[in-house]
Amino acid sequence: SQQGEEDPQALSIQEGENATMNCSYKTSINNLQWYRQNSGRGLVHLILIRSNEREKHSGRLRVTLDTSKKSSSLLITASRAADTASYFCATANQGGKLIFGQGTELSVKP
Amino acid sequence: ETGVTQSPTHLIKTRGQQVTLRCSSQSGHNTVSWYQQALGQGPQFIFQYYREEENGRGNFPPRFSGLQFPNYSSELNVNALELDDSALYLCASRDFITDTQYFGPGTRLTVL
């Protein structure tokens, strides 16, 4: 079963705009990871945020984590057509097992 | 490039057959996990191997089994294939220092 939900399920924006995706989860976590997937291929790791962190940046990516609300968000700034993909959040327990959400399908139009 | 490789890329089998999928983990990673991703869904955890022992299993029946070898490569075996086993199978190796898990490109299994 899935850990939680991602919102929205699909997002369509113009190149240059920002994209925000949200993720909610149900149980306590060790860390939360965001992944990108292009057209049913393998998952590309984007960023990991630990349960004791609130915000993390990597290039055009900004991730926040609110453990009291059991939620996280991924912001992609100045989006590009190449950012078109499915984005998944995954929570990890101490054993390393990842539990994924359903994903957000992002479409960036040139 | 994550350094995690999987073979084969695609596979077509018929119901009732058996299949073996293979994964080579990133150098130095001694933990490998397998995930099943049905079309339009997020990946679901099948099981995890650490130093050749299974140390975590998801909600999958015993006909899903695995092995990890001394070089930390791994196999996923599925017996008595069912139509619902059609999916993308992903393996991931874990970096214990950063907790990051790196995924391979996947094997697309179609069961007819």
Side-chain angles (χ1 to χ4, degrees):
Chain A
S1 61
Q2 304 292 341
Q3 163 73 291
E5 296 180 5
E6 293 187 55
D7 169 53
Q9 288 189 331
L11 181 59
S12 182
I13 59 174
Q14 294 293 130
E15 217 168 19
E17 293 181 337
N18 295 341
T20 300
M21 288 160 262
N22 302 297
C23 166
S24 62
Y25 58 92
K26 296 173 184 170
T27 61
S28 60
I29 63 171
N30 190 47
N31 64 69
L32 186 146
Q33 304 183 36
W34 285 89
Y35 289 86
R36 185 185 76 226
Q37 187 176 42
N38 290 84
S39 303
R41 296 182 188 169
L43 297 166
V44 175
H45 184 265
L46 297 176
I47 197 165
L48 179 152
I49 187 165
R50 299 191 183 281
S51 60
N52 61 353
E53 296 176 312
R54 291 297 165 259
E55 189 171 311
K56 210 161 180 183
H57 297 254
S58 177
R60 294 184 296 114
L61 306 180
R62 172 179 169 252
V63 168
T64 61
L65 179 64
D66 186 336
T67 52
S68 66
K69 294 181 180 177
K70 291 187 167 56
S71 67
S72 174
S73 68
L74 171 67
L75 168 68
I76 304 174
T77 60
S79 63
R80 305 165 182 168
D83 295 328
T84 294
S86 294
Y87 291 81
F88 293 91
C89 71
T91 55
N93 59 16
Q94 279 210 291
K97 169 185 172 181
L98 291 177
I99 303 178
F100 286 84
Q102 299 272 40
T104 292
E105 205 171 308
L106 174 65
S107 174
V108 182
K109 300 185 189 310
Chain B
E1 279 298 317
T2 65
V4 180
T5 61
Q6 291 186 244
S7 63
T9 306
H10 296 90
L11 204 50
I12 299 175
K13 292 284 189 179
T14 55
R15 202 168 47 179
Q17 285 189 310
Q18 177 265 344
V19 70
T20 297
L21 311 182
R22 294 179 174 83
C23 171
S24 287
S25 59
Q26 194 160 325
S27 177
H29 293 181
N30 56 18
T31 300
V32 67
S33 301
W34 285 91
Y35 293 81
Q36 180 196 65
Q37 186 179 21
L39 204 59
Q41 304 290 317
Q44 294 215 29
F45 176 75
I46 303 175
F47 44 55
Q48 177 175 274
Y49 277 81
Y50 170 68
R51 292 186 175 179
E52 304 175 56
E53 298 284 333
E54 183 183 300
N55 76 335
R57 189 176 184 95
N59 190 25
F60 280 82
R63 60 189 184 84
F64 285 78
S65 63
L67 281 173
Q68 187 181 30
F69 300 100
N71 66 355
Y72 304 135
S73 65
S74 176
E75 284 182 358
L76 164 66
N77 299 290
V78 187
N79 293 322
L81 283 167
E82 300 177 359
L83 298 179
D84 284 349
D85 296 333
S86 295
L88 181 68
Y89 288 85
L90 298 159
C91 79
S93 71
R94 183 182 174 193
D95 181 330
F96 262 100
I97 296 173
T98 65
D99 271 339
T100 301
Q101 296 201 34
Y102 296 96
F103 282 80
T107 293
R108 172 74 60 188
L109 173 66
T110 301
V111 183
L112 302 175

